Amino acid sequence: MSFPRDGLRPVVLLAAAALACVLSGCASKNPLLDDAPAAAQQSAVHTEGPRGADRFLGIFRPYRINVQQGNFVSREMITPLKEAMQKQEGVTRDQVLFALGTPLLTDVFHADRWDYVFRLKKNTGEVISSRVSVFFKQNRLVNIEGDQLPTEQEYLSLIEGKTPTAR
């Protein structure tokens, strides 16, 4: 049994072109916009592994550096602020600035809210991100959202790629 070679060649070329178009669509996602964690998450930390072409062709891609953006905020940093909030004196903006650093996001229209966002995209494609929002009223700290932050040791375990141990 033999197949005609002249009739098969256009079909093979068309199939190869269609496969190339399908595979090129895998990398059309913008990770800066699409990987942002949802605001209504239970945990303040969001980890996500490599997907799509990064997961499939991971060993054939060039070396990429880890990219860290924003403020690293841990449970040890938030706990003293929560305790001091309960006292009559409260916590001032300067004390929050000293404890957590400069906020990554401030808004002219919402001057009483500071957002501390942390995002680490590892060279493997894994993304670790967290968000903490602090709210002020009359220059005193009144609320902190994102309170299920890991400890510093758990963050280091996530960055190293290990599963954090429960305490």
Side-chain angles (χ1 to χ4, degrees):
M1 188 179 215
S2 65
F3 294 100
R5 290 184 179 236
D6 293 335
L8 190 60
R9 186 172 184 175
V11 173
V12 171
L13 289 175
L14 183 63
L19 182 63
C21 288
V22 168
L23 289 178
S24 68
C26 292
S28 65
K29 183 176 175 194
N30 185 349
L32 294 176
L33 297 175
D34 298 336
D35 290 344
Q41 281 184 322
Q42 289 286 0
S43 175
V45 174
H46 175 72
T47 60
E48 187 174 299
R51 292 184 290 175
D54 282 341
R55 187 179 67 202
F56 180 67
L57 301 172
I59 60 172
F60 297 112
R61 62 184 172 85
Y63 176 76
R64 294 183 183 158
I65 61 170
N66 293 339
V67 179
Q68 178 180 333
Q69 297 172 317
N71 302 67
F72 169 76
V73 178
S74 68
R75 189 179 310 157
E76 290 92 351
M77 296 167 74
I78 294 290
T79 303
L81 292 176
K82 286 185 176 182
E83 292 171 359
M85 248 177 24
Q86 306 304 321
K87 296 180 181 175
Q88 187 175 4
E89 320 68 71
V91 181
T92 66
R93 288 179 186 258
D94 290 335
Q95 290 170 327
V96 172
L97 197 63
F98 180 77
L100 301 180
T102 305
L104 186 66
L105 300 172
T106 56
D107 188 0
V108 175
F109 299 109
H110 301 98
D112 291 335
R113 176 183 175 156
W114 289 353
D115 290 305
Y116 292 89
V117 181
F118 175 75
R119 185 173 191 272
L120 173 68
K121 183 169 184 181
K122 296 169 67 173
N123 60 2
T124 60
E126 181 182 8
V127 176
I128 300 170
S129 59
S130 65
R131 180 184 203 122
V132 175
S133 298
V134 295
F135 298 90
F136 299 94
K137 187 173 188 177
Q138 299 174 350
N139 289 328
R140 298 287 182 198
L141 182 64
V142 293
N143 190 19
I144 300 174
E145 289 182 2
D147 47 344
Q148 291 185 355
L149 292 170
T151 63
E152 291 177 9
Q153 195 62 38
E154 291 170 346
Y155 254 133
L156 291 174
S157 296
L158 286 171
I159 291 169
E160 291 176 358
K162 299 177 185 173
T163 304
T165 57
R167 289 185 180 197

